[in-house]
């Protein structure tokens, strides 16, 4: 008889967090033995000085077989109901994963959740849209799913970037092709454009490779409130070591400084910010 897995969900919708939230998670192997535990840290808040709702949403979904699914969605700024589109994206993902049968692959449920969100947002008929970046971690292996320019990365203990998602934007593709570097991207005229969104008929989901996680690897997922203000090497340096809450605080503090223009000569982009860290 198939066993239905229990699901624990932490949703962050229209959040205004004064400080990050941290809790322990455990990743189990197929026999129920401890394989790779860790800490999950979440943070989300609106752009400094913004009066409208936070367009960023985040979710952490854990299953009692040890699987952890992390997601960040960024409703399109300036579009109608961006905050609602991002909420729909993470809620559809949650609903798709609930009732999952033990031993089944996570991929179909994650893809179905994103496809459901796309259909639901389109049905609203308001022009709302959102990005989404998802990482599943199960039995010590991580895999990413990507729509838009919210990004995910896996950082090794010494700060090496073991994997990162590709930003679905003109500037993101220029970086991947080697036509420009990250520093040039920070001041590019088209850095705010996104070419792939949940809530559009042309949406496509990019599926990343399976990445075995070493004992000290860290998983980072965040909206462009982080990745448009910090370069990848800066994110990697701050996320790789220290206590879990201290890592997130360091990332958030630097992003805030950039957004508020407190670092002369360094470009900053005021924006909502949502970020998740899975640390050893």
């Amino acid at each position: 008889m198939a066993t239905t897995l229990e699901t624990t969900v932490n949703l962050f919708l229209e959040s205004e967090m004064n400080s990050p939230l941290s809790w322990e998670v455990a990743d189990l192997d197929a026999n129920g033995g401890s394989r790779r535990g860790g800490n999950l840290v979440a943070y989300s808040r609106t752009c400094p000085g913004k009066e409208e709702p936070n367009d960023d949403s985040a979710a952490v979904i854990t299953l009692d077989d040890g699987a952890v699914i992390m997601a960040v969605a960024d409703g399109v700024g300036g579009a109608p109901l961006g905050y609602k589109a991002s909420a729909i994206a993470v809620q559809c993902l949650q609903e798709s994963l609930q009732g999952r049968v033990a031993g089944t692959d996570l991929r179909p449920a994650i893809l179905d959740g994103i496809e459901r969100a796309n259909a639901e947002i389109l049905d609203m008929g308001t022009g709302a849209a959102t990005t989404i970046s998802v990482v599943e971690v199960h039995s010590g292996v991580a895999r990413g799913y990507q729509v838009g320019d919210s990004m995910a990365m896996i950082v090794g203990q010494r700060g090496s970037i073991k994997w990162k998602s590709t930003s679905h934007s003109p500037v993101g593709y220029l970086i991947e092709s080697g036509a420009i570097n990250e520093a040039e991207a920070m001041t590019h005229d088209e850095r705010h454009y996104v070419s792939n969104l949940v809530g559009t008929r042309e949406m496509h989901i990019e599926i990343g490779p399976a990445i075995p996680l070493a004992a000290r690897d860290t998983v980072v997922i965040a909206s462009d409130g982080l990745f448009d203000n910090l370069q990848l090497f800066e994110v990697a340096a701050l996320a790789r070591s220290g206590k879990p809450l201290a890592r997130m605080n360091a990332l958030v503090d630097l992003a805030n400084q950039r957004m508020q223009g407190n670092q002369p000569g360094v470009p900053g982009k005021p924006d909502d910010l949502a970020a998740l860290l899975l640390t050893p």
Side-chain angles (χ1 to χ4, degrees):
M1 181 177 176
T3 301
T4 300
L5 297 171
E6 294 294 326
T7 305
T8 302
V9 180
N10 295 83
L11 289 178
F12 303 90
L13 311 177
E14 299 179 49
S15 295
E16 292 295 343
M17 300 174 68
N18 292 321
S19 58
L21 175 66
S22 177
W23 67 98
E24 293 185 355
V25 294
D27 181 22
L28 306 180
D29 66 22
N31 297 317
S34 178
R35 186 180 180 107
R36 183 188 189 273
N39 292 275
L40 210 302
V41 190
Y43 181 80
S44 183
R45 60 109 181 100
T46 55
C47 173
K50 180 182 173 185
E51 296 182 357
E52 295 80 9
N54 185 354
D55 285 322
D56 289 358
S57 298
V60 179
I61 303 154
T62 55
L63 307 179
D64 62 5
D65 65 349
V68 179
I69 300 92
M70 309 155 60
V72 167
D74 180 358
V76 176
L81 301 178
Y83 65 94
K84 186 170 183 179
S86 68
I88 288 171
V90 297
Q91 288 171 323
C92 284
L93 181 66
Q94 167 203 343
E95 292 164 4
S96 184
L97 287 160
Q98 284 180 329
R100 175 176 165 265
V101 174
T104 58
D105 188 4
L106 287 166
R107 184 189 312 194
I110 293 171
L111 295 176
D112 182 61
I114 298 172
E115 293 286 0
R116 280 195 216 174
N118 193 57
E120 189 168 326
I121 295 168
L122 279 169
D123 284 347
M124 289 167 59
T126 64
T130 183
T131 70
I132 191 167
S133 183
V134 181
V135 174
E136 59 159 293
V137 179
H138 194 205
S139 299
V141 177
R143 186 188 299 276
Y145 303 79
Q146 181 83 12
V147 181
D149 65 349
S150 295
M151 290 179 60
M153 59 192 293
I154 298 172
V155 181
Q157 181 182 10
R158 297 184 179 181
S160 63
I161 299 173
K162 299 180 68 172
W163 171 82
K164 70 174 184 67
S165 60
T166 298
S167 178
H168 296 167
S169 66
V171 170
Y173 294 132
L174 286 172
I175 293 173
E176 288 297 314
S177 69
I180 62 174
N181 59 35
E182 278 194 83
E184 292 168 329
M186 300 287 279
T187 57
H188 197 283
D189 290 342
E190 295 185 351
R191 69 176 177 145
H192 306 317
Y193 296 163
V194 185
S195 52
N196 183 26
L197 290 165
V198 184
T200 62
R201 301 195 183 281
E202 300 79 18
M203 183 204 75
H204 62 275
I205 305 167
E206 181 175 348
I207 304 173
I211 307 291
L213 295 177
R216 299 292 181 180
D217 287 351
T218 297
V219 181
V220 183
I221 311 179
S223 63
D224 60 354
L226 183 71
F227 285 110
D228 272 1
N229 286 291
L230 276 65
Q231 295 186 52
L232 292 179
F233 78 89
E234 294 176 308
V235 176
L238 296 174
R240 73 180 180 86
S241 63
K243 294 186 180 298
L245 283 172
R247 300 185 198 196
M248 181 67 85
N249 279 322
L251 290 167
V252 169
D253 288 348
L254 184 54
N256 280 336
Q257 291 179 42
R258 298 273 169 86
M259 289 187 196
Q260 294 171 8
N262 293 337
Q263 293 193 333
V266 180
K269 174 196 171 189
D271 203 349
D272 299 337
L273 171 60
L276 300 172
L277 296 180
L278 178 60
T279 71

